[in-house]
Amino acid sequence: MLSEIEQRIKAKIEAVGTPLKDWDIAINYGIKTGFNDAFIIDGAKRAELLNEDPKSAEVIRPILRGRDIKRYGYDFADLWLINIHNGIKEKGIRPIIISDYPAIKRHLDKFWPELEKRLDKGLTPYNLRNCAYIEDFNRQKIVWGNLNLSASYAIAEEGLFVNAPCPMIVPASKYLLAILNSEVADYYIRKLGVTRNGGYFEYKPMFIEQLPVPLIAAPLQQGILDQAERLIEKVGKGESVKQEQQLLNEMIFQLYSLTPEEIEFIEQSQHSQIQ
């Protein structure tokens, strides 16, 4: 049962926002390999494969894990996905044929027993499982770790994959990124599930898609977008963004027409989650 102030906050958020499930976006999980030890390699192995057969570069893509993703940025760990995808029949995209990439085949053959018995496989044990949205990895996307202490969303560039169970949103929007990383959104989303011991929360798509967000149009929304762009730039330079994040939070509190009392309640609630 929600308290009176919780009911007021919930009503205000839902009054001005449109649930993300009703936006023209797609929310999906990252790529599933069924056996990461074979399909996710480090930079040294990538260099080795490219030295053996330069054509291997055609199907090796950079990939992020949940632990690599931070709020407004990420730390690339020099990990790479061997993207032997299964194609998309409906779009005329053919499956990757492993014999076209002999160096990669020799690498994967070392893991044949595991590849053969895994459930997440495609046309052959070398192929990844069907992924209808495989092309979305070639677009900008909002990504986040599935399990986190607090909101930690970032934008991943075109061609950068993310490993399941990390989810992603396509197309990316810096305005939406700012909202998701705000205290208001995190407060609302965490009310939809159960927080684990230590303050950890599972940020599943089924929760994220319920978040009501005002469509970008008014000057305040544009101000949030502009501030988010400045913040992302500073994160990329490794600079402190504490002041910028606070300003964004204040703007988003205003976007949802929250009172000082309601803001204080949200801030205290968020702080207590990770104690």
Side-chain angles (χ1 to χ4, degrees):
M1 180 67 113
L2 298 179
S3 66
E4 182 181 344
I5 192 170
E6 288 174 320
Q7 292 179 41
R8 290 204 312 269
I9 292 171
K10 183 174 185 291
K12 285 187 175 182
I13 292 173
E14 293 175 352
V16 300
T18 299
L20 290 183
K21 63 183 178 181
D22 296 327
W23 282 44
D24 186 20
I25 59 175
I27 306 178
N28 288 303
Y29 282 106
I31 202 76
K32 298 176 181 178
T33 72
F35 193 66
N36 289 342
D37 287 351
F39 289 96
I40 297 181
I41 59 176
D42 60 20
K45 174 55 72 172
R46 173 180 177 271
E48 179 184 320
L49 293 174
L50 266 58
N51 184 58
E52 291 182 40
D53 178 15
K55 195 170 184 286
S56 300
E58 296 176 0
V59 293
I60 297 180
R61 297 290 180 267
I63 190 167
L64 298 175
R65 305 162 298 177
R67 72 189 76 171
D68 303 324
I69 302 168
K70 317 298 179 186
R71 183 177 291 186
Y72 288 105
Y74 55 84
D75 298 323
F76 180 55
D78 195 20
L79 293 176
W80 302 81
L81 171 73
I82 297 177
N83 183 30
I84 307 297
H85 66 73
N86 210 45
I88 306 177
K89 185 177 181 180
E90 296 77 11
K91 296 184 178 181
I93 300 174
R94 296 181 178 180
I96 298 294
I97 306 301
I98 191 63
S99 59
D100 291 340
Y101 303 93
I104 290 177
K105 183 179 184 300
R106 285 192 293 273
H107 164 75
L108 293 178
D109 279 341
K110 299 173 185 177
F111 305 95
W112 179 256
E114 293 85 358
L115 299 186
E116 190 176 30
K117 70 183 180 183
R118 81 193 204 279
L119 297 178
D120 291 311
K121 60 185 176 184
L123 180 66
T124 75
Y126 297 105
N127 292 87
L128 302 177
R129 61 180 285 174
N130 286 340
C131 182
Y133 51 89
I134 190 75
E135 293 178 299
D136 282 351
F137 292 103
N138 293 323
R139 305 171 67 187
Q140 271 197 344
K141 54 211 141 286
I142 294 177
V143 297
W144 63 97
N146 185 58
L147 195 65
N148 264 313
L149 285 171
S150 61
S152 297
Y153 304 82
I155 288 181
E157 300 305 319
E158 297 92 340
L160 185 54
F161 279 66
V162 61
N163 190 35
C166 298
M168 66 181 191
I169 294 174
V170 175
S173 156
K174 292 176 181 176
Y175 165 72
L176 179 54
L177 178 69
I179 301 294
L180 287 167
N181 275 324
S182 72
E183 289 186 331
V184 175
D186 207 33
Y187 165 84
Y188 187 92
I189 289 169
R190 291 176 76 106
K191 289 292 184 182
L192 301 174
V194 177
T195 300
R196 302 183 183 181
N197 289 339
Y200 285 93
F201 184 81
E202 195 168 2
Y203 288 82
K204 296 180 178 180
M206 62 182 288
F207 301 142
I208 307 302
E209 70 178 10
Q210 296 182 54
L211 175 68
V213 177
L215 296 171
I216 186 166
L220 180 58
Q221 281 98 318
Q222 185 61 48
I224 290 170
L225 173 59
D226 293 342
Q227 182 66 12
E229 290 178 341
R230 287 190 289 270
L231 194 154
I232 292 168
E233 183 178 356
K234 293 193 71 173
V235 168
K237 295 177 180 178
E239 300 176 5
S240 172
V241 293
K242 186 175 181 180
Q243 290 183 339
E244 286 79 6
Q245 182 64 65
Q246 181 58 40
L247 178 56
L248 263 178
N249 270 323
E250 292 172 1
M251 295 171 75
I252 295 168
F253 284 140
Q254 184 180 348
L255 183 67
Y256 286 101
S257 302
L258 298 171
T259 66
E261 180 191 12
E262 292 161 350
I263 293 170
E264 182 180 6
F265 181 87
I266 290 173
E267 290 176 335
Q268 290 180 349
S269 175
Q270 290 299 97
H271 182 72
S272 66
Q273 294 283 3
I274 58 174
Q275 296 303 305

